[in-house]
Amino acid sequence: MTMPVLNVAFVGSEELARTLAKKGDVRDIESYVHKEVIDGQTRILSLLRPLRHPERIRPLLSVLNVAKAGIVEIAKVDAALGEVLVAFGAAEISIGHAIISSEEGGWVDPEQVRVILDQAGLADWTLHERMPDGHALRDSLISTLSPGDETEPLVIPIDQHFNVKGVGLVAIGYVQAGTVSKHDEIHVLPAQENGIARSLQVMDDDVERSIAGDRVGVALRNLREDALHRGCILTHLEGGALTRHNISKFTLLRAPFQKRELKEGDIVHAAVDLQFQVGRIIQIEGAACVVEWEQALWIQNRDAAPVIIAQLDAGNMRIMGVADSIVPA
């Protein structure tokens, strides 16, 4: 039995997260899960809370790679908030809630926040000037749940893997497209190696099949552990889901508030499908950038989540923009 899941990128306090869902595992991303049954159907709200921002941007971008909605709690207006909202806008997270929760003795101007949301590309977000009712907020998010397209080729970016006694090699990640079933032959990129899905687990339950939105554990046999790493992707051999990019050409859709210009020789990072690949700009052709990647970047052959371009040394605004019309060069 499949259970629809809405992954929500959550930037805010642990206290607010706990009012909405039950705390789960913790890595550089905390997860909080809420399950409920509506008309006999189980629906799941999964909050993904990146840690260590603004010190590190990768956890935030990783969350945005898999989220379909967002919640941002606003204690104060500063550069870190600006970067968060720009990142949500770059990721095209159009369903969201911004919640003003001022620090003690402080005040946040709702009109200023509304202007920043609009400028960041989040004009459709709901702005709450005070803490909303948790039940109403959950209901609002769950009402946006829609099933993924099960006809798409399978794409599961992996964020962790390990060996389990009695089970074997397990890869854990988010189903971005398509479905995976027990006994499927699994193709691993970039290793180009194959294994068999001996079992699947979603939310601690053994399942026969997993769908888009699920955080799934895939127990794999006939596969080397070295074939797996964070950012690798599971797919079906015959699916044709992704294209390899050693060198990419794209037009940068510059992020709001970003004043820096990219130039030849610059180092950039691309964030997509839990990949965080470093590359060097080898050519600027008018509005187009040509980037050579240190390791291959894999891009889905469908209209999928945007490829976010960042520069880690760019100060308070590391989001450069989105790679538009990206093609192998």
Side-chain angles (χ1 to χ4, degrees), residues 261-294:
E261 295 277 357
L262 292 178
K263 59 185 185 301
E264 288 185 16
D266 277 1
I267 301 298
V268 296
H269 282 75
V272 64
D273 287 334
L274 300 185
Q275 300 169 89
F276 196 64
Q277 301 291 25
V278 61
R280 183 182 297 274
I281 298 176
I282 58 175
Q283 195 172 5
I284 300 284
E285 301 175 354
C289 297
V290 181
V291 176
E292 183 173 11
W293 305 107
E294 191 174 279

Side-chain angles (χ1 to χ4, degrees), residues 10 41 52 63 69 80 89 92 97 100 173 179 188 208 217 234 260 301:
F10 178 93
Q41 183 181 40
R52 297 175 61 189
V63 163
E92 298 179 0
H97 296 263
I100 293 176
T179 64
V188 183
E208 296 292 316
L234 307 188
R260 179 182 283 206
N301 297 326

